[in-house]
Amino acid sequence: MTTKFQLPNPKLLTGIALCVVFTLSVCLAAPCLADTTDPKTQSLAFDTVTNQLILTETGETLITDPAKQPSALAVWLGTYNPTLGMCNASIFTTIFGGAFVAFFIAICWGKLVEIYGAAGGLFGGGVIVGTFWVINHKLPGIGIAPGGIPHDAGFGIYQYGLIVQAFHGTGPWVDMGLAVCVGLFTMSFLERLRAKKLDPTLPGGAALLSESFPRALSVILGGIAGGAIVGLIGFTGARL
Amino acid sequence: MFIGAMITGALVFGIWPEMWKSYGIMGGWLSAVIIIGLCWFMNHWLGLFSNPDGKIWIDQGMPIASAGIAWAIVRFGADFTDCLPTFFLLIIGGILGGIAAYYVKQHNPNFKT
């Protein structure tokens, strides 16, 4: 008995091809993601004659070890690193740190609540958010050097989480909650648009967005007020 | 919604940084159980956040994000523009995660209702 060879589903093949391309591009791009620029330093250049990274204003050589010289491609890719306050690798990890937590919460938390009710939601708060906090936001010197380990660049601290705060953490703190709320907003918006396709009597995209705007604004303002109130502790002289 | 958001923002940035400074990674993880779990119960389970059926979901991550920025500006005098790169990168990441979750929920039989 012979079995006829059948090609897999074209959709499955496309999916597999996309996965392969993505994985390969991440691996191959790794050498170009190195930290080639110092954030806030706007005048870096790569001297192709001496093969060295230099400060154009002073002519100072930043990296003298030939083995550690970034490629010209890496320097070119890092054109906007000083503006963004982070290197290429950090840009990449920040985007995917946000995408991971948004996807995980969008998929799992709702199911936990559906199955276990309030207990599932409380469990999800600790297990999902706590675990993703460790991968996204953990800081250097936790429990050992509470202020963080100072960065060699002369300002800010070293960061080890996926989500990198720009300019070595000297800017305001941007929490992964932003990615979560944007992810859930996007997912629920797309779901409603799909429902609208199936049932034209339902509200459309513009109506949904305008309806959500006052709700979003009130929670954003609430967050600003709450954060500012806690921030006032800094004026009491507390050195926590 | 405003009161729930305010308390959530205050709790997260009043407790979380001190917990990880004092107890390390376990302190940060434990903070999630205490703060996020309780705030979720108040905001989403008891319904302080208005999320009617068939509308766009407003999550408590939104006030946490805005509280983090306001907290750092008020407490440490940080420059608002310095947070914009991370801010926009996280929005891109969130959109990517949301789209991926949407497609998974459309095609995975476990999410069919």
Side-chain angles (χ1 to χ4, degrees):
Chain A
M1 185 179 154
T2 55
T3 312
K4 263 192 174 178
F5 176 75
Q6 276 188 321
L7 270 176
N9 183 344
K11 275 189 179 174
L12 183 67
L13 277 179
T14 317
I16 292 171
L18 281 173
C19 293
V20 170
V21 168
F22 181 78
T23 311
L24 281 178
S25 57
V26 171
C27 297
L28 294 175
C32 300
L33 296 174
D35 192 354
T36 56
T37 55
D38 181 20
K40 281 192 173 169
T41 305
Q42 303 272 353
S43 51
L44 288 170
F46 187 65
D47 190 337
T48 49
V49 180
T50 59
N51 211 27
Q52 287 173 335
L53 192 67
I54 54 167
L55 261 171
T56 49
E57 281 173 7
T58 60
E60 183 190 348
T61 304
L62 291 181
I63 302 175
T64 50
D65 183 358
K68 289 184 179 174
Q69 289 299 327
S71 66
L73 177 63
V75 173
W76 179 74
L77 283 173
T79 305
Y80 293 104
N81 286 171
T83 313
L84 290 171
M86 59 178 82
C87 63
N88 294 326
S90 302
I91 295 170
F92 204 74
T93 57
T94 303
I95 290 177
F96 281 91
F100 291 165
V101 67
F103 177 84
F104 205 95
I105 287 182
I107 290 292
C108 295
W109 204 326
K111 273 286 173 195
L112 279 172
V113 177
E114 192 182 308
I115 297 168
Y116 301 109
L122 287 164
F123 177 78
V127 174
I128 302 177
V129 178
T131 307
F132 273 93
W133 174 84
V134 176
I135 194 171
N136 279 336
H137 284 320
K138 67 178 180 291
L139 287 167
I142 295 168
I144 304 163
I149 298 170
H151 199 283
D152 283 344
F155 64 94
I157 53 172
Y158 280 107
Q159 299 174 78
Y160 295 133
L162 282 181
I163 294 175
V164 175
Q165 305 296 327
F167 302 111
H168 299 169
T170 53
W173 183 265
V174 187
D175 198 81
M176 66 179 179
L178 178 66
V180 173
C181 74
V182 170
L184 292 173
F185 191 95
T186 309
M187 187 189 71
S188 56
F189 183 60
L190 292 173
E191 281 176 347
R192 304 298 169 247
L193 287 184
R194 187 180 167 86
K196 163 83 176 165
K197 267 188 187 172
L198 301 173
D199 182 0
T201 58
L202 291 171
L208 284 168
L209 288 175
S210 60
E211 187 276 333
S212 71
F213 181 72
R215 292 189 288 130
L217 187 66
S218 67
V219 296
I220 290 170
L221 290 176
I224 291 173
I229 289 168
V230 171
L232 292 176
I233 293 171
F235 291 91
T236 62
R239 294 189 178 277
L240 288 170
Chain B
M1 288 182 89
F2 182 84
I3 296 170
M6 192 163 68
I7 293 172
T8 304
L11 277 178
V12 168
F13 290 96
I15 296 173
W16 215 313
E18 319 310 339
M19 284 290 278
W20 78 256
K21 281 178 187 174
S22 306
Y23 304 109
I25 286 181
M26 201 56 217
W29 195 89
L30 197 62
S31 299
V33 182
I34 299 166
I35 306 165
I36 302 296
L38 284 179
C39 288
W40 171 86
F41 184 74
M42 176 177 73
N43 292 328
H44 292 308
W45 184 257
L46 296 180
L48 249 69
F49 279 23
S50 166
N51 277 310
D53 283 343
K55 304 292 182 196
I56 293 174
W57 182 266
I58 300 296
D59 194 71
Q60 66 174 4
M62 209 174 269
I64 293 172
S66 60
I69 295 168
W71 166 74
I73 290 174
V74 172
R75 176 147 189 199
F76 303 111
D79 185 359
F80 173 71
T81 52
D82 282 357
C83 78
L84 291 178
T86 313
F87 188 85
F88 287 115
L89 291 174
L90 278 187
I91 287 180
I92 294 169
I95 291 173
L96 286 176
I99 293 172
Y102 165 74
Y103 278 104
V104 167
K105 284 178 112 174
Q106 291 302 317
H107 298 292
N108 191 312
N110 288 328
F111 292 94
K112 300 281 183 205
T113 51

